[in-house]
Amino acid sequence: MAERNDSMSDKAEDRRDSPRVPMRLKVRREGSSGDFEQHEGDLSLGGCAWQGSSWEQGTRVEVRFRLPILPDEVEAKGEVLQVAPGANGPAARVRFVDLPVESELAIARHLDDVQSGTARS
């Protein structure tokens, strides 16, 4: 019988292909002409997450955020994958869809810079 290693997690969501870094996000429903809601959240190569106001699973959203290595905001479209209860309200996890290669490379560079401690403000 195999022993269970308690340092290993059973949850697939705990295994990340990309690190997550804190990020201020602007979010609104895709196609809306309304204002963006600002949320503190996190950013990874494949998507983002935030706590606070959120939408149902499957909702398409527009997300904007600033990276120190770019002069303009990154504009990304995403799909809400999961909404779960959180300490500060519902927590939404979003997967980016149709992200331009330039934006994906800039996110990857920013994540590397944060991980190595060389990120600019």
Side-chain angles (χ1 to χ4, degrees):
M1 179 184 265
E3 287 185 39
R4 174 168 164 70
N5 182 345
D6 288 331
S7 67
M8 295 171 52
S9 173
D10 289 337
K11 296 181 182 178
E13 67 191 47
D14 288 340
R15 292 187 292 268
R16 303 270 184 234
D17 292 333
S18 170
R20 293 187 174 274
V21 297
M23 181 67 53
R24 178 170 294 234
L25 305 165
K26 297 178 186 176
V27 185
R28 71 177 176 191
R29 186 178 299 270
E30 184 178 33
S32 171
S33 60
D35 293 337
F36 282 85
E37 296 177 11
Q38 292 196 32
H39 297 280
E40 293 298 325
D42 62 53
L43 174 70
S44 71
L45 190 55
C48 61
W50 68 87
Q51 284 200 309
S53 174
S54 64
W55 297 279
E56 295 177 353
Q57 183 176 348
T59 302
R60 298 283 299 237
V61 295
E62 297 175 33
V63 182
R64 292 185 181 181
F65 51 90
R66 290 205 168 275
L67 297 175
I69 59 177
L70 295 177
D72 298 318
E73 285 183 323
V74 174
E75 297 180 13
K77 294 185 180 187
E79 179 182 357
V80 176
L81 295 179
Q82 177 185 32
V83 178
N88 298 320
R93 295 249 173 244
V94 171
R95 172 182 57 95
F96 292 140
V97 294
D98 301 325
L99 187 66
V101 172
E102 298 81 14
S103 297
E104 188 172 1
L105 291 172
I107 292 168
R109 173 71 186 270
H110 178 68
L111 295 174
D112 285 346
D113 288 350
V114 170
Q115 292 295 307
S116 68
T118 61
R120 294 183 272 167
S121 306

